[in-house]
Amino acid sequence: MRPIDALVHSLSEARVVTDPDVVASYARDRTFLEPGRPLAAVLAASREDVVTTLRWASEHRVPVVPRGAGTGLAGGSVAGDGAVILSLARMTAVRELSPADEIAVAEAGVITADLDRAAREHGLMYAPDPSSYEISTIGGNLATNAGGLRCVKYGVTRDSVLGLEVVLADGRVLNTGRRTMKGVTGYDLTGLFVGSEGTLGVITAATLRLRPAPDGPPATFAAEFGSLREAGAAVSAIMAAGCRPSLMELLDRATLEAIDDWRNIGLEPGTRAMLIGQSDAGDGQQAAVDRMGRICVEHGASFVAVAAGPEEAEELIGLRRLAYPAEERLGACLVEDVCVPRSALPDMITAIEAAGARHGVRVCTVAHAGDGNLHPVFIFGHGVAEPPAEVWAAADEVFTRALELGGTLTGEHGVGLLKRRWLAMESGPVAAEVQRGIKATLDPLGILNPGKAI
Amino acid sequence: MRPIDALVHSLSEARVVTDPDVVASYARDRTFLEPGRPLAAVLAASREDVVTTLRWASEHRVPVVPRGAGTGLAGGSVAGDGAVILSLARMTAVRELSPADEIAVAEAGVITADLDRAAREHGLMYAPDPSSYEISTIGGNLATNAGGLRCVKYGVTRDSVLGLEVVLADGRVLNTGRRTMKGVTGYDLTGLFVGSEGTLGVITAATLRLRPAPDGPPATFAAEFGSLREAGAAVSAIMAAGCRPSLMELLDRATLEAIDDWRNIGLEPGTRAMLIGQSDAGDGQQAAVDRMGRICVEHGASFVAVAAGPEEAEELIGLRRLAYPAEERLGACLVEDVCVPRSALPDMITAIEAAGARHGVRVCTVAHAGDGNLHPVFIFGHGVAEPPAEVWAAADEVFTRALELGGTLTGEHGVGLLKRRWLAMESGPVAAEVQRGIKATLDPLGILNPGKAI
């Protein structure tokens, strides 16, 4: 009996896909990266299925590539030759939702927005909102410590996780963390597994923190600036003033041009950047956006619009939503993800523009400005499978400059496969050794998502 | 040459204390626990001193007990026979304070309140505020992941840490984390070292997140309740309403009686609990405490006072500050630290009262109610060195009940030596194995604070 037959026998044929064409459909994420030829895909429906799969994989030393919905942007769930893909997408139970304690226990396959909707039935929300949240899973969000637009107020995924159920490489089940708001018993294993991209264990469920939901739609403003430095100063001033925006996005000139080409938004020739901000603070939110708008004017904004109601707000925030589709019209896209200290935002955007110009690559940048997290989108030929050399040359310059400015290679997308070649530049040898030591402790056979993350 | 002479030679006599009486003064924390006879105390003044000490300790396999100001409440820095105590208290530099990026880089020996004051000169604050913050150090706060009164709004120490400088057991220097608000490069080593109680490495400096400071003093209210259940329901309703209190403390009847005995506060016979809450939300804070007060009335409060100004606020918050000194008048104190899901707060206090009554032990409880974190203080005979058997019997019941209610053994004080015997009840065997594996990877010789935390 081949090893894979033993797995099929243990789990049933309905759970294990071996048809190569079907398996291939589980082998990619949202990057251009080409998968290898994986052995099979397990469609786990329970923690026990995951335990069975990992015991089998340990016994036969088969690499396991866990995945949620495959919306990753760094190659973390791209499967290689001979691997078994372990999909958590069918583990969709919200095991518990306690309004009194403001917590939910969700399985890894729950769609993030579904959990948020379930919470809102009780006046609560699940705050983390990666752009993919209508299609990505909690498990994937946890594995990458996903960010999102509301991070600026509510933090990243890790900030909403209290505890985890994890299946270790050898099939043991580990429960980390707690159900309480605070707790310091033992090491922070919860934080360690969050963001470990499936290389230390397979997260099957999580105890998540919910928060009171805002009463109604947020208040919104937009501001245009003639220089990046003024826009950056306005962002810093808004944050320093304690305005607590629930969203603070910056669109650069190239992004605005891409949108204007498509939808004719009447872009002024002198506009170099647009800020779009929101407050969801209830009674105080209109005053908060008015104040943010005034701060923009004080810092040189050429134009400020504060939405009078939800419809006008939709128009303003709609510009932000148009950014990525407008860029996709122009060609294939490599979406990057550096993060810098907030004060370095204008320098970073300037460096991105210079790198693009130097290598003849069109780059559009949108930033979660309140967090200093920038997404430079490098655009290349339609239908070209992989970013050409000049895109990588420009990206290389961007990564180097981000690190020089005290920043990081990835603010929220993860390292996956795509960022590994730059990793040593950021982490240094001691951190690499420590991470490899932890990996070896938890996955001594090296079967969990090998070649990713660290 | 004795091994210790080699250390004195490397570091200078001014840095290494070997006089047993002086060494003994560095061997305790704030618990009753008796230290052993440590070999020496190193008063490190720089990262290099720490590197030298740990290299030496690895070479000679000498246990190292790191300490800050020794304000711990769990025995984490109590030194055993033959250990070298490594005090970080002289590493007091704030290496950097960047108002634009809202970060500070502080050495381990910086007094927590000093960092907060340095931040306030720039309109910022360092949010974590353990009760000891005028005398405890950043390094000690990091080692225990200290909590505090403001946690309910700003989170625990870990929530304000972006990166660490750590000296590993063999003297290698590890830099973890980042200077940015977000970042997902590699495993969360920062979170792992925070709260590890000096068992994985010695934290010498940290990159810390600052936040905009409130403009003026907070607004304050107090409310009295005839039942614990009503008080608990009021706390839940306040949190669910999104009032965002910056402090939300509950005092039980026994605590109020201890204060009343001393200061005659006119305690009503029917009062079972008092809630004291604050808001530091600036323009909106008076409205916020008014609203919290109304919610208390709706949930059955027999009396609500909203402070009209800072003086009245001082009087109300002063009651909370009197709690511990009032208890110390009654006898020696064992300060405990369980945390439960917020909805279990009334059940937990009831269980604490029952455990005290059953074992004939006076127990007063103050809770960081917004977080469900309770400090039952077990009072025993003045001058008695160790808690007697009936205190441990009552504490044992309290711990067991906290776990039954979905809670944890320690919300913010740490495990240290005191909680180790209950650890297995909470963590289970797999978590214990994983933690021991991580410990063995980072400290293969077992020289770092042996016998603590895990």
Side-chain angles (χ1 to χ4, degrees), chain B residues 304-362:
Chain B
V304 173
V306 175
E311 263 175 55
E312 276 180 44
E314 255 325 290
E315 271 175 46
L316 297 178
I317 198 75
L319 287 175
R320 169 65 182 82
R321 289 205 198 97
L322 286 175
Y324 192 62
E327 289 153 11
E328 283 192 310
R329 286 178 69 242
L330 304 174
C333 296
L334 174 70
V335 183
E336 273 310 332
D337 174 44
V338 294
C339 190
V340 294
R342 199 187 295 136
S343 66
L345 203 62
D347 284 344
M348 191 67 235
I349 295 179
T350 304
I352 291 167
E353 292 177 344
R358 189 155 29 243
H359 297 281
V361 177
R362 188 159 182 174

Side-chain angles (χ1 to χ4, degrees), chain A residues 4 35 42 53 82 122 131 134 138 170 231-232 239 243 277-278 280 333 345 347 355 367 381 384 409 438 440:
Chain A
I4 192 68
V42 173
T53 304
H122 304 276
S131 297
E134 284 287 359
I138 291 291
D170 57 9
M239 300 306 288
C243 296
Q278 293 191 319
D280 65 0
C333 296
L345 202 63
D347 283 346
V384 176
L409 291 168
I438 291 171

Side-chain angles (χ1 to χ4, degrees), chain A residues 30 68-71 109-114 117 130-138 141:
Chain A
R30 284 290 181 106
T71 61
V110 171
I111 297 292
T112 308
D114 286 346
R117 278 186 283 267
S131 297
S132 59
Y133 78 138
E134 284 287 359
I135 50 171
S136 62
T137 64
I138 291 291
N141 292 180

Side-chain angles (χ1 to χ4, degrees), chain A residues 182 184, chain B residues 73 130-131 146-149 151 249-252 255 320 323-324 327 333-340 345 348-349 352 363-369 371-378 398-399 409-414 419:
Chain A
K182 292 160 74 178
V184 291
Chain B
L73 295 167
S131 297
L149 302 181
C151 286
E249 300 284 300
L250 186 148
L251 284 61
D252 77 344
T255 302
R320 169 65 182 82
Y324 192 62
E327 289 153 11
C333 296
L334 174 70
V335 183
E336 273 310 332
D337 174 44
V338 294
C339 190
V340 294
L345 203 62
M348 191 67 235
I349 295 179
I352 291 167
V363 197
C364 302
T365 301
V366 171
H368 308 311
D371 299 316
N373 185 193
L374 303 101
H375 295 308
V377 176
F378 298 85
V398 167
F399 300 152
L409 291 168
T410 173
E412 56 181 14
H413 292 170
K419 289 282 174 68

Side-chain angles (χ1 to χ4, degrees), chain A residues 98 100-103 123-124 144-148 151-152 156 158-159 168 172-175 177-189 191-197 199-200 209 212 215 236 239-242 244 291 337 339-344 368 370-371 373 405-415 423 426-427 430-431 433-439 441-442 452-454, chain B residues 98 100-102 123-124 144-148 151-153 156 158-159 168 172-175 177-189 191-197 199-200 209 212 215 236 239-242 244 291 337 339-344 368 370-371 373 405-415 423 426-427 430-431 433-439 441-442 452-454:
Chain A
S98 164
D101 293 325
E102 299 184 351
I103 59 176
L124 298 167
T144 55
N145 188 23
C151 285
V152 65
V156 295
R158 185 180 285 117
D159 298 312
L168 297 176
R172 280 177 300 164
V173 176
L174 168 69
N175 288 289
R178 51 202 156 77
R179 293 169 60 84
T180 53
M181 287 298 138
K182 292 160 74 178
V184 291
T185 301
Y187 300 152
D188 180 19
L189 300 180
L192 183 64
F193 281 96
V194 173
S196 66
E197 303 187 17
T199 64
L200 299 180
R209 182 179 177 175
D215 287 338
S236 289
M239 300 306 288
R244 302 194 80 244
R291 188 168 175 211
D337 175 42
C339 190
V340 294
R342 199 187 296 135
S343 66
H368 307 313
D371 298 316
N373 186 192
L405 290 169
T408 175
L409 291 168
T410 173
E412 58 180 13
H413 292 169
V415 170
L423 211 47
E426 178 170 344
S427 301
V430 179
E433 284 160 31
V434 169
Q435 293 182 76
R436 283 196 297 264
I438 291 171
K439 165 78 174 170
T441 300
L442 283 158
K452 312 281 175 64
I454 64 165
Chain B
S98 166
D101 293 326
E102 298 184 353
L124 298 167
T144 55
N145 189 23
C151 286
V152 63
K153 180 164 178 180
V156 294
R158 186 180 283 118
D159 298 313
L168 298 175
R172 280 177 300 164
V173 176
L174 168 68
N175 288 289
R178 50 199 158 77
R179 294 169 59 85
T180 53
M181 288 296 138
K182 292 160 73 178
V184 290
T185 301
Y187 300 152
D188 180 20
L189 300 180
L192 182 64
F193 281 95
V194 174
S196 67
E197 303 189 18
T199 64
L200 299 179
R209 181 178 177 176
D215 287 336
S236 289
M239 301 304 289
R244 301 196 80 244
R291 188 169 174 211
D337 174 44
C339 190
V340 294
R342 199 187 295 136
S343 66
H368 308 311
D371 299 316
N373 185 193
L405 289 168
T408 174
L409 291 168
T410 173
E412 56 181 14
H413 292 170
V415 170
L423 211 47
E426 176 169 345
S427 301
V430 178
E433 285 160 30
V434 168
Q435 292 183 76
R436 284 197 296 265
I438 290 171
K439 165 78 174 170
T441 300
L442 283 158
K452 311 282 175 63
I454 64 165

